[in-house]
């Protein structure tokens, strides 16, 4: 239950309400970790809630309101997530864009949106925004290295350092939008997927209950930050169950960071598991060799105590360690199914990948996007 300003208590109905609830219940427990310069940096639930509230105050001072949109152009990192929650804290919507997407098409979408508020990760993302000819009221950038700030651009750390503490109550509403995603449709028109707080929490609760997730879980947000499946099956469950969410230092280090961390929860896509499958195959002995026969024997799905015991210690356990699945008990597949060979490979390792749907719906947005989640028009599935 969350205690509100009127003195009453209610079940948390939005993502910011759940954040505040976790800060009240387990404020000194670690909520987020981010590897930086080879060292894991931690934030507690109290620190996360305070940082989100501070960012919300900074946005509000600059005119961000309940009908506003915060465009986020970033790889997975804590600052991007906290900026999204700050926009939602004020009742607004966070629009997530992948910086690895094709630049020209993304610039066109950004020009159509003409956002007043933007979060950009590094100088590369700032230059992409500048190349689109945008003039946001406020652009927050996470990495100051190499940046010569222009008008309206502000460093994330300095923005937070200059704030006074403010007791700002969450203004999000359950029936309103939380995350938005944009793409160019087959017709050439821009399309939007808008996911509301109520939908995210409904699907998040289903996952938490079905997989029996709790505060003891370790999860890694490695690649697909700008995707609906991650919002449904990673971010919402993180707030509901109160587990620890980890961010790798970079995409280049994600596999090493996963091996070091050994997450208990993995929420991946067909592409995620396919890449890990290829990584494992590249490390196996050559086909036809004695060593490869041992591997194939150990991974075969047949009963027998000898195969189970020797196969575990000689093959399956080392391979799971290589992939960072040494402690994984909840491997989730969001969206499209795995190829049969990849599915059989993970099953042989004892990694029972469970599929969860990504019910993406796309429609052509109005000229000025509104945070309502009503009136969806069914569209094609979103690639996560």
């Amino acid at each position: 239950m969350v205690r509100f300003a009127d003195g009453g208590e209610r079940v948390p109905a939005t993502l910011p309400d759940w954040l505040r609830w976790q800060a009240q219940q387990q404020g000194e427990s670690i909520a987020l970790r981010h590897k930086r310069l080879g060292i894991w940096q931690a934030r507690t639930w109290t620190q996360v809630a305070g940082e989100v509230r501070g960012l919300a105050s900074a946005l509000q001072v600059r005119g961000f309101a309940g009908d506003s949109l915060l465009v986020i152009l970033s790889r997975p990192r804590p600052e991007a997530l906290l900026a999204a929650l700050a926009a939602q804290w004020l009742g607004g919507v966070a629009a997530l864009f992948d910086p690895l997407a094709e630049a020209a098409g993304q610039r066109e979408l950004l020009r159509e949106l003409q956002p007043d508020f933007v979060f950009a990760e590094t100088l590369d993302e700032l230059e992409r925004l500048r190349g689109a000819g945008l003039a946001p009221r406020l652009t927050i950038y996470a990495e100051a290295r190499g940046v010569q700030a222009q008008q309206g651009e502000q460093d994330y750390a300095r923005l937070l350092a200059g704030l006074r503490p403010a007791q700002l109550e969450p203004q999000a509403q359950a029936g309103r939008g939380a995350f938005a995603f944009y793409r160019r449709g087959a017709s050439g028109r821009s399309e939007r997927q808008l996911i509301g707080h109520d939908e995210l929490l409904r699907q998040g609760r289903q996952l938490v209950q079905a997989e029996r997730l709790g505060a003891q879980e370790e999860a890694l947000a490695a690649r697909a930050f700008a995707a609906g499946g991650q919002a449904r099956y990673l971010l919402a469950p993180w707030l509901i169950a109160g587990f620890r969410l980890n961010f790798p230092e970079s995409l280049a280090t994600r596999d090493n960071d996963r091996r070091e961390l050994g997450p208990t929860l993995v929420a991946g896509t067909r592409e995620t598991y396919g890449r890990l499958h290829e990584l494992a195959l590249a490390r196996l002995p050559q086909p036809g060799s004695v060593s490869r026969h041992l591997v194939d024997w150990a991974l075969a799905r047949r009963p027998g105590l000898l195969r189970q015991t020797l196969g575990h210690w000689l093959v399956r356990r080392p391979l799971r360690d290589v992939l960072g699945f040494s402690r994984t008990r909840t491997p989730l597949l969001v969206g499209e199914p795995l190829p049969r060979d990849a599915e059989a490979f993970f099953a042989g390792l004892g990694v029972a990948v469970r599929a969860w749907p990504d019910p993406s719906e796309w429609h052509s947005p109005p000229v000025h996007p509104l945070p309502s989640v009503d009136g969806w028009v069914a569209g094609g599935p979103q690639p996560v």
Side-chain angles (χ1 to χ4, degrees):
M1 305 290 287
V2 171
R3 184 175 297 277
F4 288 82
D6 60 8
E9 290 187 344
R10 297 190 292 274
V11 175
T14 67
L15 301 183
D17 284 342
W18 272 106
L19 172 58
R20 185 167 61 168
W21 188 86
Q22 292 294 351
Q24 292 172 349
Q25 297 300 310
Q26 52 167 346
E28 299 309 307
S29 298
I30 295 176
L32 291 177
R33 292 201 312 163
H34 178 210
K35 201 172 190 184
R36 186 174 181 84
L37 300 178
I39 301 174
W40 289 102
Q41 311 288 336
R43 289 176 172 90
T44 66
W45 285 103
T46 296
Q47 289 171 330
V48 167
E51 196 165 327
V52 168
R53 188 180 289 111
L55 287 169
S57 297
L59 289 171
Q60 187 181 56
V61 166
R62 288 159 178 82
F64 193 99
D67 60 349
S68 297
L69 185 76
L70 174 65
V71 164
I72 296 180
L73 184 59
S74 177
R75 298 164 186 80
R77 61 181 301 142
E79 295 88 347
L81 173 57
L82 300 187
L85 288 169
Q88 295 161 1
W89 193 280
L90 294 173
V93 173
L96 305 183
F97 283 78
D98 187 350
L100 299 182
E102 189 267 328
Q106 192 172 83
R107 281 195 295 265
E108 289 182 7
L109 286 172
L110 291 170
R111 277 193 290 266
E112 290 182 18
L113 280 177
Q114 290 293 318
D116 286 327
F117 302 92
V118 178
F119 175 94
E121 183 179 11
T122 68
L123 177 60
D124 290 339
E125 286 70 51
L126 278 176
E127 290 180 340
R128 181 172 293 197
L129 292 167
R130 294 167 181 171
L134 304 181
R137 191 180 308 175
L138 174 65
T139 299
I140 307 170
Y141 54 91
E143 292 287 349
R145 182 170 45 195
V147 175
Q148 293 184 351
Q150 299 182 4
Q151 183 177 2
E153 297 175 353
Q154 193 159 359
D155 175 29
Y156 181 97
R158 289 186 179 181
L159 180 67
L160 279 182
L163 292 174
R164 295 180 179 178
Q167 295 300 320
L168 182 63
E169 294 296 320
Q171 299 170 28
Q173 299 179 28
R176 306 283 280 180
F179 288 105
F181 305 90
Y182 291 84
R183 71 178 185 184
R184 188 69 62 190
S187 65
R189 299 180 61 187
S190 61
E191 296 178 340
R192 179 184 66 182
Q193 179 192 169
L194 191 60
I195 311 177
H197 291 274
D198 48 1
E199 179 183 358
L200 286 170
L201 294 179
R202 182 176 64 254
Q203 293 170 334
R205 280 192 294 268
Q206 290 174 353
L207 179 67
V208 168
Q209 294 170 0
E211 300 292 348
R212 298 181 180 178
L213 302 181
Q216 76 282 357
E217 310 296 343
E218 293 269 8
L220 183 69
R223 168 63 181 85
F225 181 61
Q230 293 291 302
R232 289 182 172 94
Y233 300 122
L234 189 59
L235 300 185
W238 165 64
L239 289 168
I240 295 170
F243 54 74
R244 185 180 299 176
L245 185 60
N246 300 271
F247 292 85
E249 186 156 4
S250 68
L251 294 182
T253 68
R254 58 185 165 177
D255 292 325
N256 288 333
D257 295 341
R258 184 187 298 104
R259 282 193 290 270
E260 179 182 333
L261 178 66
T264 61
L265 169 64
V266 174
T269 63
R270 176 188 176 100
E271 289 74 20
T272 303
Y273 287 101
R275 189 182 61 81
L276 292 175
H277 181 215
E278 293 177 359
L279 176 65
L281 292 180
R283 291 173 174 260
L284 294 182
Q286 290 295 320
S289 65
V290 175
S291 299
R292 184 57 178 267
H293 282 304
L294 172 62
V295 171
D296 294 340
W297 174 82
L299 295 180
R301 300 179 65 181
R302 299 175 184 173
L305 181 60
L306 180 64
R307 189 191 303 271
Q308 290 177 357
T309 304
L310 288 180
H312 170 75
W313 291 105
L314 296 178
V315 176
R316 291 194 296 274
R317 179 175 176 176
L319 273 177
R320 289 183 63 150
D321 289 343
V322 166
L323 296 176
F325 284 177
S326 57
R327 299 192 303 138
T328 301
R329 71 171 190 85
T330 311
L332 307 178
L333 173 68
V334 181
E336 298 180 17
L338 291 179
R340 289 187 178 181
D341 57 341
E343 183 179 14
F345 173 79
F346 285 107
L349 283 181
V351 179
V353 180
R354 272 92 79 184
W356 283 80
D358 183 20
S360 306
E361 298 188 20
W362 295 86
H363 68 97
S364 297
V367 176
H368 300 290
L370 299 175
S372 170
V373 296
D374 297 327
W376 276 350
V377 177
Q382 178 199 17
V384 175

